[in-house]
């Protein structure tokens, strides 16, 4: 009874999400606790707290973790341990990276962690690289190229393709160590960094960019760079995860930031003072990486080592799940929309409004689930909130165009066709129109029988010789009322075809 009360209390504390796992990541710059819930294929972050201890700040000079940094880190870690105990979370993984593994007093620090009840694992540079790469694979199942994870103490590089990794290596080029290469100015710094990268065997400059694939950037400093680039472009989305730019544009971005001053960058919205200090040096590093790795494009990833830890523990069949659909299904279920009903409605509307040139069936199903979940919101706030879900929630496995199509379908489901400018800025008119048809078809399916499963069994929607046809079993002919007629006209008009209703003895699928 006491256990059940504690479990219910813990679940309710996170708004319906069950806290399943916690990861404590002890890095060279920050010590962070993240608590995850939802499906582990597309986990929801329920708690995210960090302490900027800068454990690795004196490694280069003394080879040791600074006493003051250890004290600050341990203070935060004691808090983390107490939080997790009070929340009743048992599945906790604690990992330490470059600073702890390289410091002469690293073992002493690890013993201090054990004394407060944590069981840390000091991972190697190669393991750190592979975990980050697995995080990227989890977020981008079709990832092909090179992952570059920039931490405080090191830079990890690893190839990814076909869900596999290769050539993992770690370089002493973390943000805390970059200033060591700046002694002769940023021009000399770039040469120094280039030398380290080439010496480690990472030179693809003679290979065509299309063959080199994508450079996936992982780490807080890279994400701050993405935030800067998004603001400079007037990009309508807020989440840097999945933000992509061409290789040439990335080099232009890096060149501009390399000439910037940290004090100027500190005034930028959503860029912390700590990240602002590191951005110019990180930009020089990016210049060197882009020159040697010659990627076709650059993609910023919020998934890295911690998500790699989650992904590695998944069974094969769960890893094979689509991360977008996995995340949306849990989100929609928590808001009263059963994925099974959404799947049936997506199947019912398939013939009339399938995914065509710009979308995909996975995207159309995600739009269906979100649109049905949106119907649980009060009408006066429904549309803006649902569009925010589509555009700004951290979905995995979707780009800006896909988000715009989600938003357009959700809006059309509510017969709102005057879309916000930010939606139209992310996708071409043809893509928007395709998604609007998804939404209008769903509106018809939803309103035909009040979302009853029976209404989908006694009806069929199809396109026959350029005409939108709704077949209804005679037993349910009365379902064709005024609202249904309006919805048929809306969808047929958008498709540019005529329409009719056929009353039949039975529905033959």
């Amino acid at each position: 009874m006491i256990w059940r009360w504690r479990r219910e209390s813990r679940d309710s504390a996170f708004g319906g999400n069950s806290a399943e796992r916690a990861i404590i990541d002890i890095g060279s710059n920050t010590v962070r606790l993240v608590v995850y819930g939802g499906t582990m294929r597309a986990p929801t972050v329920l708690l995210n707290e960090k302490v900027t201890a800068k454990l690795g700040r004196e490694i280069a000079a003394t080879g040791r973790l600074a006493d003051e940094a250890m004290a600050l880190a341990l203070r935060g870690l004691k808090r983390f341990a107490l939080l997790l105990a009070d929340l009743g979370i048992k599945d906790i993984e604690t990992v330490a990276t470059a600073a702890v593994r390289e410091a002469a007093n690293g073992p002493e620090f690890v013993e201090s962690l054990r004394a407060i009840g944590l069981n840390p694992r000091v991972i190697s540079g190669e393991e750190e690289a592979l975990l980050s790469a697995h995080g990227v694979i989890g977020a981008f199942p079709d990832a092909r190229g090179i992952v570059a994870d920039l931490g405080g103490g090191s830079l990890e590089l690893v190839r990814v393709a076909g869900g596999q990794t290769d050539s993992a290596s770690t370089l002493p080029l973390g943000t805390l160590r970059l200033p060591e290469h700046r002694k002769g100015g940023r021009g000399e710094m770039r040469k120094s960094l280039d030398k380290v990268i080439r010496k480690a065997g990472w030179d693809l400059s003679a290979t065509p960019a299309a063959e080199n694939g994508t450079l996936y950037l992982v780490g807080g400093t890279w994400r701050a760079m993405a935030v800067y680039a998004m603001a400079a472009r007037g990009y309508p989305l807020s989440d840097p995860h999945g933000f992509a730019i061409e290789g040439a544009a990335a080099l232009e971005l890096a060149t501009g930031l390399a000439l910037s001053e940290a004090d100027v960058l500190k005034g930028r919205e959503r860029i912390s003072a700590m990240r602002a200090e590191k951005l110019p040096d990180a930009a020089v590093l990016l210049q060197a990486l882009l020159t040697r790795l010659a990627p076709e494009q650059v993609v910023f990833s919020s998934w890295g080592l911690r998500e790699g830890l989650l992904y590695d523990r998944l069974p094969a069949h769960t890893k094979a799940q689509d991360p977008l659909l996995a995340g949306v299904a849990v989100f929609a279920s928590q808001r009263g929309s059963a994925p099974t009903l959404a799947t049936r409605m997506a199947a019912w509307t398939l013939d009339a409004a399938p995914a065509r040139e710009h979308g995909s069936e996975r995207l159309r199903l995600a739009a269906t689930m979100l649109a049905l979940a949106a119907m649980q919101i009060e009408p006066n706030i429904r549309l803006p909130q649902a569009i925010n879900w589509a555009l700004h929630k951290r979905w995995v496995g979707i780009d800006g165009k896909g988000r715009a199509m989600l938003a357009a379908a959700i809006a059309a489901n509510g017969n709102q066709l005057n879309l916000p400018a930010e939606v139209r800025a992310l996708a071409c008119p043809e893509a928007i129109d395709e998604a609007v048809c998804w939404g209008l078809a769903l509106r018809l399916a939803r309103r035909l029988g009040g979302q009853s499963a029976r209404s989908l069994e006694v009806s069929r929607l199809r396109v026959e010789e350029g005409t939108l046809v709704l077949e209804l079993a005679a037993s349910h002919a009365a379902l064709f009322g005024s609202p249904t007629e309006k919805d048929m006209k809306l969808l047929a008009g958008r498709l540019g075809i005529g329409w009719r209703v056929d009353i039949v003895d039975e529905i033959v699928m």
Side-chain angles (χ1 to χ4, degrees):
M1 184 66 109
I2 292 174
W3 177 89
R4 186 170 62 190
W5 175 82
R6 289 192 64 184
R7 175 79 184 192
E8 289 172 352
S9 296
R10 185 223 306 176
D11 291 348
S12 64
F14 292 112
N17 282 282
S18 175
E20 300 293 338
R21 291 196 60 192
I23 293 177
I24 297 175
D25 179 2
I26 303 171
S28 301
N29 200 41
T30 63
V31 175
R32 188 182 295 270
L33 164 67
V34 185
V35 175
Y36 296 94
T39 169
M40 289 301 105
R41 182 62 187 89
T44 300
V45 174
L46 305 179
L47 177 64
N48 188 336
E49 186 174 314
K50 72 176 180 180
V51 176
T52 306
K54 296 185 179 179
L55 281 170
R57 68 191 184 198
E58 294 183 8
I59 295 288
T62 68
R64 296 175 61 83
L65 304 174
D67 290 340
E68 185 181 334
M70 284 196 296
L72 182 57
L74 281 169
R75 181 182 177 187
L77 288 162
K78 287 176 182 177
R79 169 177 161 77
F80 294 169
L82 185 57
L83 281 172
L84 293 172
D86 286 350
L87 290 168
I89 300 172
K90 303 296 185 184
D91 192 345
I92 305 165
E93 193 162 5
T94 304
V95 294
T97 55
V100 177
R101 72 170 172 258
E102 295 175 12
N105 57 343
E108 175 188 330
F109 180 69
V110 168
E111 287 306 312
S112 299
L113 300 182
R114 292 199 174 102
I116 63 174
L118 298 177
N119 185 27
R121 177 162 61 101
V122 181
I123 60 177
S124 68
E126 181 179 1
E127 187 177 5
E128 186 176 354
L130 291 174
L131 285 169
S132 294
H134 292 169
V136 168
I137 290 169
F140 307 95
D142 298 326
R144 184 182 70 84
I146 296 171
V147 175
D149 184 356
L150 178 60
S154 60
L155 170 72
E156 277 67 46
L157 295 174
V158 58
R159 296 176 186 270
V160 291
Q164 302 298 315
T165 59
D166 186 31
S167 306
S169 60
T170 183
L171 284 63
L173 298 178
T175 56
L176 294 172
R177 291 175 165 177
L178 290 178
E180 301 166 24
H181 298 266
R182 203 199 311 138
K183 296 174 183 177
R186 291 221 159 90
E188 291 301 314
M189 179 183 185
R190 180 172 173 179
K191 293 179 183 178
S192 178
L193 297 175
D194 181 77
K195 182 178 179 180
V196 175
I197 294 167
R198 282 188 292 108
K199 190 174 180 181
W202 291 94
D203 187 1
L204 306 177
S205 55
T207 308
E211 294 183 26
N212 293 338
T214 298
L215 177 61
Y216 299 90
L217 299 181
V218 176
T221 301
W222 294 139
R223 288 195 298 276
M225 191 176 292
V227 168
Y228 175 91
M230 290 162 71
R233 290 180 166 213
Y235 193 64
L237 300 183
S238 55
D239 187 358
H241 177 75
F243 178 64
I245 51 177
E246 298 300 313
L251 185 57
E252 183 179 345
L253 166 66
T255 301
L257 275 172
L259 299 173
S260 301
E261 297 296 330
D263 288 342
V264 175
L265 295 173
K266 286 178 183 177
R268 293 275 183 166
E269 187 178 357
R270 298 178 60 213
I271 297 179
S272 68
M274 180 188 75
R275 298 299 183 195
E277 288 178 1
K278 295 174 173 52
L279 272 178
D281 286 348
V284 180
L285 173 60
L286 183 57
Q287 284 180 305
L289 286 172
L290 290 170
T291 299
R292 288 300 162 191
L293 302 181
E296 187 173 23
Q297 68 169 345
V298 170
V299 171
F300 296 85
S301 175
S302 293
W303 277 36
L305 183 148
R306 291 184 294 274
E307 290 72 24
L309 288 167
L310 298 177
Y311 185 76
D312 272 2
R313 280 181 47 177
L314 297 176
H317 70 273
T318 305
K319 287 181 179 178
Q321 290 177 357
D322 185 296
L324 174 65
L325 294 179
V328 171
V330 170
F331 181 82
S333 294
Q334 291 170 344
R335 284 149 186 83
S337 176
T340 51
L341 177 60
T343 302
R344 294 185 71 174
M345 288 198 170
W348 192 89
T349 58
L350 176 62
D351 190 65
R356 299 183 189 276
E357 180 181 352
H358 297 280
S360 63
E361 283 305 315
R362 62 184 286 274
L363 190 63
R364 193 173 73 92
L365 178 55
T368 302
M369 288 191 283
L370 277 184
L372 291 178
M375 299 312 298
Q376 308 301 315
I377 305 172
E378 294 88 340
N380 57 311
I381 60 172
R382 179 179 298 155
L383 184 60
Q385 187 165 326
I387 286 179
N388 270 330
W389 288 350
L391 296 183
H392 300 300
K393 193 178 185 311
R394 180 164 288 173
W395 305 118
V396 183
I398 189 171
D399 58 11
K401 176 183 176 181
R403 286 178 176 273
M405 294 184 75
L406 287 183
I410 289 169
N413 175 58
N415 195 22
Q416 299 292 328
L417 305 183
N418 187 19
L419 298 171
E422 58 183 340
V423 174
R424 297 194 176 279
L426 290 167
C428 64
E430 293 78 13
I432 295 294
D433 192 61
E434 182 176 321
V436 165
C437 289
W438 301 347
L440 291 178
L442 175 61
R443 178 179 175 84
L444 172 61
R446 173 176 59 81
R447 286 167 30 111
L448 176 65
Q451 297 188 197
S452 70
R454 181 60 177 156
S455 66
L456 303 178
E457 296 169 354
V458 297
S459 63
R460 180 186 176 197
L461 186 68
R462 58 191 171 86
V463 174
E464 180 183 283
E465 297 180 354
T467 300
L468 180 67
V469 179
L470 173 63
E471 286 186 353
L472 268 175
S475 61
H476 285 69
L479 286 183
F480 186 71
S482 177
T484 313
E485 183 174 349
K486 290 179 181 178
D487 294 339
M488 283 288 289
K489 288 179 179 178
L490 276 172
L491 178 57
R494 198 75 184 194
L495 294 171
I497 58 179
W499 67 274
R500 74 170 191 267
V501 176
D502 290 349
I503 305 301
V504 298
D505 291 334
E506 61 178 339
I507 299 299
V508 179
M509 296 296 182

